[in-house]
Amino acid sequence: MDSVLTLQDLGDQRPAGTALAVLGHPIKHSISPAMHTAALTQMARSEPRFADWTYRRFDVPPEELPAALITLHALGFRGLNLTVPHKIIAFDCVHSVDPAARPIGAVNTLLWTPEGWHGYNTDGYGLATAVAEELGRPLAGARILLLGAGGAARGAAVECLQQRCAGLWIANRSADNLRQLLALVAPLADGIPVHGFNPQHPPTDLPDDLLIINATSAGLRPEDPLPFDLAGVRHPAGVYDMIYNPPQTRLLAAAAAHGVPNANGLSMLVHQGARALTIWSGVSVPVDAMRTAARRALGL
Ligand code: NDP
């Protein structure tokens, strides 16, 4: 079950039991199968109906995604997770979208319905739950500095505003992408101040107590630059880095060196996955089993 499959491997064979899957390209580093399989194994001990639920991973190039979604729906897959680069493409392929996911323009969780796929985005929930759990801070009422303007930042910015943060500052390297994100979230602000800037040139009047969320990919590789110099904020309330591999980025190391509460993105990954499994199963799911399996899959 842990191997990487293509749709050709599946053919027109309806899978036995209740099938779930993650689609991505590349997909071989995904730890979602380990997390979901651990949860389903535990759930089956108390509820035998979960004993035949399985979670596969498919490598699907983006140009094949629309056809893949049609095929997997026809084969009766109960639910799908979507990861890079499919979240935005899928938004236009699904039959219907959860209202909370509409402003994001991207979906990461699909539920089978007779009419077609119903799309959700569980990344924002994952982020909000992880930040509250790890840093003890709700997004609601916080002054937030969001680093990045890509897909993950888009979901994070929408979540911050939907949760009614007190203010949102967005910093991004490329001015064009920053402008696009600011335009996307402007209709959601509803009185919340939203500002954008280049992280190399932070404004001098940034609030002292910003909660900093890194949604850039700067930090995935050891040679990456810091996405933001923490010296620009006097007493950061905390630093959450969506990156979880490596487990400590330069940004998190800098936060730790300054005694600032900090956490990596593993908890977000776990909580977005737990929410997806709840959507598919209709029951609450064992988050601790998912966390343990995720850590083990990463060799932690
Ligand atoms: P995108 O490719 O859509 O966006 C990348 C962002 O990172 C852009 O804002 C880009 O800036 C910025 N960036 C890239 N390289 C650098 C650099 N060297 N210096 C400064 N900024 C840089 O990626 P995603 O938004 O999908 O993902 C971003 C990160 O979030 C990834 O590391 C991903 O693994 C992580 N993630 C974690 C999740 C979790 O569950 N923990 C869930 C989703 C994502 P520019 O616009 O200037 O190019």
Side-chain angles (χ1 to χ4, degrees):
M1 199 56 57
D2 211 20
S3 54
V4 173
L5 302 169
T6 65
L7 282 186
Q8 289 69 36
D9 294 325
L10 204 58
D12 54 7
Q13 201 79 36
R14 218 182 166 82
T18 299
L20 306 169
V22 59
L23 315 187
H25 184 70
I27 195 66
K28 72 173 187 294
H29 297 299
S30 172
I31 60 173
S32 291
M35 284 198 310
H36 286 278
T37 302
L40 289 167
T41 303
Q42 183 159 326
M43 288 158 73
R45 287 190 199 120
S46 48
E47 282 199 64
R49 70 183 170 107
F50 292 117
D52 70 354
W53 286 47
T54 53
Y55 190 103
R56 298 163 167 80
R57 60 180 150 184
F58 288 100
D59 194 314
V60 177
E63 64 278 10
E64 292 179 16
L65 183 71
L69 294 182
I70 293 170
T71 302
L72 293 169
H73 187 268
L75 292 175
F77 275 67
R78 181 176 184 84
L80 302 177
N81 274 148
L82 303 165
T83 186
V84 176
H86 295 323
K87 295 181 192 182
I88 294 173
I89 311 168
F91 185 83
D92 291 325
C93 302
V94 296
H95 170 75
S96 51
V97 176
D98 180 48
R102 271 184 218 140
I104 307 172
V107 286
N108 75 335
T109 299
L110 307 188
L111 175 69
W112 189 94
T113 74
E115 297 77 29
W117 292 114
H118 185 65
Y120 297 83
N121 197 314
T122 67
D123 280 339
Y125 167 85
L127 174 68
T129 309
V131 169
E133 177 183 273
E134 301 241 48
L135 303 180
R137 302 270 169 172
L139 299 181
R143 281 181 282 272
I144 295 171
L145 169 55
L146 176 63
L147 309 176
R154 197 199 282 204
V158 169
E159 185 71 17
C160 291
L161 294 173
Q162 286 179 339
Q163 297 269 338
R164 302 297 299 163
C165 64
L168 181 61
W169 284 256
I170 305 177
N172 195 58
R173 180 182 64 171
S174 117
D176 268 0
N177 292 343
L178 175 61
R179 240 189 320 272
Q180 279 178 30
L181 181 54
L182 289 170
L184 180 98
V185 299
L188 303 175
D190 193 22
I192 299 173
V194 180
H195 310 275
F197 65 91
N198 179 322
Q200 298 294 330
H201 307 289
T204 50
D205 59 350
L206 280 178
D208 284 349
D209 59 347
L210 285 169
L211 175 62
I212 302 174
I213 297 173
N214 180 35
T216 76
S217 39
L220 283 174
R221 298 168 308 170
E223 67 272 24
D224 284 345
L226 266 177
F228 182 73
D229 183 351
L230 291 183
V233 180
R234 211 178 308 228
H235 303 293
V239 177
Y240 191 84
D241 197 328
M242 289 194 192
I243 295 174
Y244 54 85
N245 195 10
Q248 193 185 48
T249 58
R250 285 181 62 201
L251 182 69
L252 291 183
H258 287 89
V260 176
N262 64 88
N264 72 26
L266 189 64
S267 42
M268 174 178 173
L269 182 81
V270 168
H271 285 295
Q272 64 76 29
R275 178 69 149 213
L277 190 52
T278 298
I279 288 169
W280 299 323
S281 66
V283 299
S284 64
V285 304
V287 178
D288 285 343
M290 298 180 85
R291 191 188 337 263
T292 303
R295 290 181 58 82
R296 190 172 301 140
L298 289 170
L300 298 174

